[in-house]
Amino acid sequence: MFSNRIPIAKMAAAVVVLSAITCAIMLSINWNGAEDSTAAPKIDDLMNIAIVLSTVIFWIVMVALAYALHAFKAKPGDESDGEPIHGNTRLEIVWTLVPTVIVLFLGGWSWKVLDEVEEPTGHQLTVDVFSQQYAWSFGYPGKEYAYSQGVLHVPVNRQIVFKMHSQDVIHSFWVPQWRIKKDNVPGITTTAIVTPDKVGTYQLICTELCGFGHASMRAKVVVEPEAKWAKWVAGLKEKVPTPLMVSVKQDTETNPEPLERVDAE
Ligand SMILES: [Cu+2]
């Protein structure tokens, strides 16, 4: 067998050095932009962990591949068959266990992050989000379903429970600086919970290809101090139109718990 001739120490050193260089470059890039919700730094940390783990695995595979290409190359003129190899049980156990541990670790960490992000603060605000080809509109149940088309205002430093409804096809709610993203599915009420912690103006972007006008399906998002927000809501003249209220009342609730926890306003 050739196993005792494999230069494991040199290959491991190559993996460490290449991973260190790659991680230094990858982690120095600001992939996601400003962190403007309490969820953002936690989700960015999670992504950095995933970057480091994938970088190490990438280089393990590449170094092993480069070694195999070099070490097991056929000599010129060698037309013979390769050696019949049964396999390596120990190696197979290792390459099954290691990814399993990594996936479970990332799953567990993600669970923890989501739990922290959605931990009820006791002073939540519920906002209904309505999506249709190709526009967003919003209802404020605590303010007798005051209705706003294309513009969403929310107070800063307050946990917002978005209840999402689609009138036609699947859309997806995404404010990049908040990181949170959630599909709006016809017939179902989906929920996204986010606490914006910076004042500012953002874009709500649809991130589910929903038809011809998908690229232009955006809305303006304003995060402002609570008093300013309350004044803005009080100035809304319209109420949520009946067809949209139908989806509020009839859609199947996928995540009923947060709604029950919401304070009466
Ligand atoms: Cu879309």
Side-chain angles (χ1 to χ4, degrees), residues 189-254:
T189 300
T190 53
T191 304
I193 300 175
V194 61
T195 309
D197 60 359
K198 305 247 171 30
V199 167
T201 304
Y202 305 92
Q203 270 200 45
L204 164 59
I205 299 171
C206 178
T207 52
E208 187 70 65
L209 183 57
C210 57
F212 196 71
H214 164 66
S216 61
M217 186 169 164
R218 298 188 175 210
K220 186 180 170 190
V221 178
V222 178
V223 182
E224 59 197 356
E226 179 116 17
K228 224 174 147 190
W229 164 80
K231 219 172 144 193
W232 177 83
V233 178
L236 291 173
K237 299 272 179 296
E238 282 177 85
K239 300 279 169 238
V240 173
T242 313
L244 298 184
M245 278 313 290
V246 169
S247 68
V248 171
K249 296 201 169 111
Q250 294 184 352
D251 284 0
T252 309
E253 184 81 45
T254 56

Side-chain angles (χ1 to χ4, degrees), residues 12-13 47 68 73 81 86 92 151 198 201 211 249 256:
M47 185 166 127
K73 201 166 145 186
D81 286 343
H86 172 255
E92 285 163 22
V151 183
K198 305 247 171 30
T201 304
K249 296 201 169 111

Side-chain angles (χ1 to χ4, degrees), residues 138-197:
F138 310 93
Y140 292 84
K143 312 281 173 185
E144 297 168 325
Y145 283 98
Y147 181 61
S148 167
Q149 289 187 66
V151 183
L152 167 70
H153 281 231
V154 289
V156 69
N157 291 325
R158 188 163 167 196
Q159 193 171 45
I160 320 288
V161 179
F162 290 106
K163 295 279 171 189
M164 318 219 176
H165 318 273
S166 169
Q167 309 308 307
D168 38 46
V169 299
I170 300 176
H171 302 278
S172 189
F173 176 99
W174 185 43
V175 178
Q177 293 85 347
W178 293 349
R179 302 295 187 272
I180 298 293
K181 190 189 271 183
K182 194 76 165 212
D183 276 4
N184 300 14
V185 184
I188 293 174
T189 300
T190 53
T191 304
I193 300 175
V194 61
T195 309
D197 60 359

